[in-house]
Amino acid sequence: MFEELKKYKEINGHCSVPARCSSNRRLANWVLKQRQQYGQLKGGGSSMMTAERVDMLNSLGFTWKLRGGNWHDMLDDLKEYKERHGDCLVPFKYAPNPPLGRW
């Protein structure tokens, strides 16, 4: 599937395969699974994701977290902000992550 993702990127210029990609449902499911496995790995849980696979996907510019309406992703971003700044007082116009400031 990694080779299919490489081909997808060559054609589309990115690795963000839509979850409802009608042209390649298998690839869309595989990409979703990679993100889930990575999240489990980062969370300290059991995961089939390896450092080698992370490096391979990173080499393609793989997007691990999709921004948008996902509450848990925004919570993770807030936790990262707190680690860096010591509080959760994100400015409304926080340039590095504008959606976090609005959230």
Side-chain angles (χ1 to χ4, degrees), residues 3 13 23 26 32 43 45 54 70-71 86:
E3 293 301 319
S23 62
R26 269 186 51 218
L32 176 63
V54 170
N70 191 322
W71 190 89

Side-chain angles (χ1 to χ4, degrees), residues 7 11 21-22 24-25 32 37 44-45 54 58-59 62-63 65 71-72 75-76 81-83 85 89-90 96-97 100:
K7 289 177 190 173
I11 294 167
C21 181
S22 58
N24 195 336
R25 198 79 180 122
L32 176 63
Q37 290 294 315
V54 170
N58 281 340
S59 75
F62 190 79
T63 305
K65 289 171 42 171
W71 190 89
H72 292 286
L75 180 61
D76 289 343
Y81 178 91
K82 185 176 181 183
E83 286 177 21
H85 301 279
L89 304 172
V90 183
N97 186 347
L100 182 61

Side-chain angles (χ1 to χ4, degrees), residues 18-70:
R20 297 178 187 199
C21 181
S22 58
S23 62
N24 195 336
R25 198 79 180 122
R26 269 186 51 218
L27 180 60
N29 289 335
W30 183 80
V31 165
L32 176 63
K33 185 76 169 176
Q34 301 314 297
R35 288 190 180 108
Q36 290 171 342
Q37 290 294 315
Y38 181 74
Q40 290 173 347
L41 178 69
K42 295 294 278 185
S46 175
S47 174
M48 295 175 59
M49 183 59 65
T50 64
E52 179 183 4
R53 189 179 298 172
V54 170
D55 290 343
M56 288 173 64
L57 291 166
N58 281 340
S59 75
L60 292 180
F62 190 79
T63 305
W64 293 105
K65 289 171 42 171
L66 298 177
R67 303 223 184 258
N70 191 322

